[in-house]
Amino acid sequence: MTHDGPALPSLHSAWTEVARNWSHPTDKWRRLIARLRRPGPSIAASEFSALARSPEDLGDLRPHLLVLVPWLPMGGAEVLLADILDSLKAEWRLSIVTTETGDQALAPAFAAITTEIYHLPDLVERRHWFEFVAALMASRDSKAILSSGSRFLYKNLKRIKARFPAILSYDILHNDAPKAHLASALRARLHIHRLIAVNERIRRSLACGGASPGTVVVIPNGVDYEGVFNPQGVDLGAARRRFGIGDGTFVIGFVGRMSEEKRPLAFLAVVAPILAAHANVRILVLGDGKMKTAFRDAARAAGIADRVHHLPRVDRAAMPQFYAACGILVMSSRIEGTPLVMLEALAMGCPVATTDVGDAALVIREGINGFIVPVAAPEALTPRIAGLVGDEAAVERMRAAARQSIVDTGRSADAMLAAYRALMRPSRQTP
């Protein structure tokens, strides 16, 4: 995905700043890096003395929170995490550690929250990752860990707890797919202080897997439906012009990574018959990933490539305009929890046609604010969506109902963030 704003700052920047502020000679730092990169036995945490806090930072009395995530792409889980950390930063010093290579499109948003972002694949060899993290925690006197989909955390939490017995760990779970992070979280559950489920379905799955009820907290995802995602704040004509949409055009939208769990090819299978039958229908797609080429090839093979406007990414601030430009949003996923795109689209008055994933059935009312079909039959969405083309009265009814369904449920970002702050308040950080 590309970024509309300024060039992404290097994730080396925080590391470089630590090195620059280090009071010892820089050639010692170079020798350390050289040692990390050559074969040999594991090194002691003391070798990472360059991680010592600067004199200015020592004056910051906030407790330290270590954040462990795989990467920082433009995904729903990462957008949610950025909002959470922005809300927590008043009470916590934050350091972010990422462990997987790939898209880091949301890095600027996190860099605005904390300057301490360490991308381990760019810094040290994998065999030294644990000692690096341990040294970081020791130098920062970490009080808690917040993780979201971190395989590193699940694999190493027992060792971390042995090294830092008083550390508290919070883990956010975004879906209950048995072969995804749910199984890893359950295996590590004895070392996790609180498992945070974004919906009741995940809570039930954790309970069935043996998690103690006292360790599971449900914090539903929410959106800013009064401010950011409010159709009254968007000029519909300007939104459609931004994405090259002409008058009288019905737009079907898709937002998600070009990855197998989002099933972008299934989305094409849903919409291709509609485009074949209606000349005034266009497709607006937002997403990047490994399946991007396969998606574009499939669109060409179906003869609809010229009617698909595919954007690898847009600036986050443009998302309200994106939803406003769409007549309906389609979610063809096989795995979800409480997808932010569903909540955001509905808040903007954009109906959602989706497979029955996560807690979509608790939000989508068939024929009222969208459509919902079995995960195994996404093509069942085709006739439902086709029925809206040319029926402006039905579209307007569903737009109004979509917006109202979010207002009525009170799924606000403020309520969500207040719950995270209350759960992780520093005064409560005792084992």
Side-chain angles (χ1 to χ4, degrees):
M1 298 169 83
T2 56
H3 183 65
D4 286 351
L8 299 185
S10 170
L11 288 182
H12 290 286
S13 59
W15 181 268
T16 304
E17 188 64 23
V18 169
R20 184 180 297 118
N21 292 333
W22 191 31
S23 59
H24 293 280
T26 56
D27 62 334
K28 185 176 180 180
W29 173 258
R30 295 191 186 99
R31 288 198 299 272
L32 170 60
I33 292 298
R35 183 176 177 184
L36 293 175
R37 289 176 174 169
R38 70 173 180 257
S42 295
I43 62 176
S46 59
E47 294 286 355
F48 290 101
S49 56
L51 287 171
R53 294 174 64 187
S54 66
E56 295 81 4
D57 189 43
L58 288 171
D60 188 341
L61 300 181
R62 292 172 299 167
H64 182 261
L65 175 66
L66 174 66
V67 182
L68 289 172
V69 291
W71 52 351
L72 303 174
M74 191 72 74
E78 292 73 29
V79 168
L80 175 70
L81 181 64
D83 288 343
I84 293 169
L85 296 185
D86 192 53
S87 180
L88 294 176
K89 69 182 182 183
E91 295 184 305
W92 291 92
R93 289 181 290 117
L94 303 170
S95 298
I96 300 173
V97 173
T98 69
T99 56
E100 295 185 17
T101 58
D103 175 27
Q104 305 286 353
L106 208 57
F110 286 94
I113 297 168
T114 175
T115 59
E116 287 205 359
I117 301 177
Y118 302 95
H119 185 47
L120 291 188
D122 289 347
L123 298 176
V124 295
E125 293 180 4
R126 184 179 295 269
R127 61 196 173 95
H128 297 307
W129 286 7
F130 175 80
E131 292 301 340
F132 179 96
V133 170
L136 179 65
M137 293 175 63
S139 68
R140 302 300 185 266
D141 188 23
S142 301
K143 300 302 183 185
I145 298 171
L146 176 63
S147 59
S148 177
S150 173
R151 288 183 289 185
F152 176 86
L153 182 280
Y154 295 135
K155 181 179 179 181
N156 292 282
L157 184 55
K158 184 177 180 180
R159 293 177 67 192
I160 291 173
K161 291 285 288 187
R163 184 80 63 91
F164 304 94
I167 199 76
L168 299 182
S169 178
Y170 300 84
D171 186 47
I172 306 173
L173 289 158
H174 297 280
N175 64 67
D176 64 344
K179 294 184 179 180
H181 296 299
L182 179 73
S184 298
L186 287 170
R187 285 193 294 270
R189 68 186 184 277
L190 297 180
H191 306 290
I192 298 176
H193 179 59
R194 290 290 184 269
L195 292 157
I196 304 172
V198 302
N199 61 40
E200 285 289 338
R201 176 170 169 170
I202 298 172
R203 181 197 63 77
R204 291 193 297 270
S205 294
L206 287 168
C208 290
S212 170
T215 64
V216 181
V217 178
V218 178
I219 302 181
N221 291 349
V223 295
D224 182 2
Y225 60 80
E226 293 182 340
V228 177
F229 296 99
N230 188 334
Q232 293 184 356
V234 175
D235 183 322
L236 180 57
R240 291 172 68 89
R241 287 191 298 273
R242 173 171 185 153
F243 297 108
I245 300 166
D247 293 339
T249 302
F250 185 84
V251 178
I252 303 174
F254 175 92
V255 178
R257 285 191 303 275
M258 291 284 133
S259 58
E260 191 275 333
E261 71 272 14
K262 302 296 183 181
R263 300 198 297 186
L265 302 188
F267 165 74
L268 283 179
V270 168
V271 301
I274 303 174
L275 270 67
H278 301 277
N280 66 324
V281 176
R282 296 291 183 275
I283 308 303
L284 185 56
V285 175
L286 174 60
D288 200 359
K290 294 180 179 179
M291 294 185 67
K292 178 175 65 176
T293 300
F295 176 81
R296 291 178 173 176
D297 289 346
R300 282 192 292 269
I304 60 174
D306 61 335
R307 296 166 70 184
V308 177
H309 186 21
H310 182 194
L311 301 165
R313 76 179 61 166
V314 298
D315 188 274
R316 178 71 184 156
M319 289 307 298
Q321 287 185 309
F322 183 97
Y323 296 124
C326 296
I328 194 165
L329 184 80
V330 175
M331 289 173 38
S332 49
S333 306
R334 65 174 182 85
I335 299 173
E336 292 285 358
T338 304
L340 281 182
V341 296
M342 175 180 69
L343 303 180
E344 291 170 354
L346 292 172
M348 285 301 300
C350 177
V352 175
T354 182
T355 47
D356 188 4
V357 286
D359 60 356
L362 299 179
V363 180
I364 301 301
R365 293 175 291 163
E366 175 67 24
I368 305 298
N369 63 347
F371 307 109
I372 188 165
V373 300
V375 174
E379 66 278 2
L381 292 171
T382 300
R384 291 165 164 83
I385 299 169
L388 291 180
V389 180
D391 191 342
E392 294 184 9
V395 170
E396 288 305 312
R397 284 196 302 270
M398 292 190 76
R399 278 189 174 277
R403 168 72 179 171
Q404 197 60 43
S405 66
I406 293 296
V407 174
D408 289 346
T409 57
R411 284 181 174 268
S412 73
D414 286 346
M416 174 189 71
L417 296 175
Y420 277 96
R421 289 194 302 271
L423 176 66
M424 300 183 63
R425 186 149 290 134
S427 61
R428 299 180 58 179
Q429 303 310 299
T430 55

